[in-house]
Amino acid sequence: MLGIDDLSHMGMLVRVWIKTAPMEQWNVGREFRLRVRQAFEANKIQIDAN
């Protein structure tokens, strides 16, 4: 994890680099986003997508 790239009243952008095998970046990215969403839901952190 590189850290917070942008912080504003609307939210924050967290920049992450994940090293993957060739041609697996889409699967890894999808799984990462799923796990982040599940962790937010488990901790009752609301995400508003605008």
Side-chain angles (χ1 to χ4, degrees):
M1 179 174 287
L2 297 176
I4 298 174
D5 216 31
D6 186 26
L7 185 61
S8 72
H9 69 285
M10 296 290 292
M12 68 178 155
L13 172 66
V14 179
R15 178 124 1 221
V16 177
W17 284 357
I18 301 172
K19 195 170 202 166
T20 67
M23 301 302 294
E24 288 296 316
Q25 64 269 28
W26 306 114
N27 293 331
V28 171
R30 200 173 304 116
E31 181 69 21
F32 177 76
R33 288 188 297 277
L34 173 65
R35 290 184 188 203
V36 168
R37 184 173 53 98
Q38 289 172 339
F40 276 36
E41 288 173 356
N43 290 286
K44 297 179 180 25
I45 300 171
Q46 186 177 9
I47 301 174
D48 291 326
N50 293 337

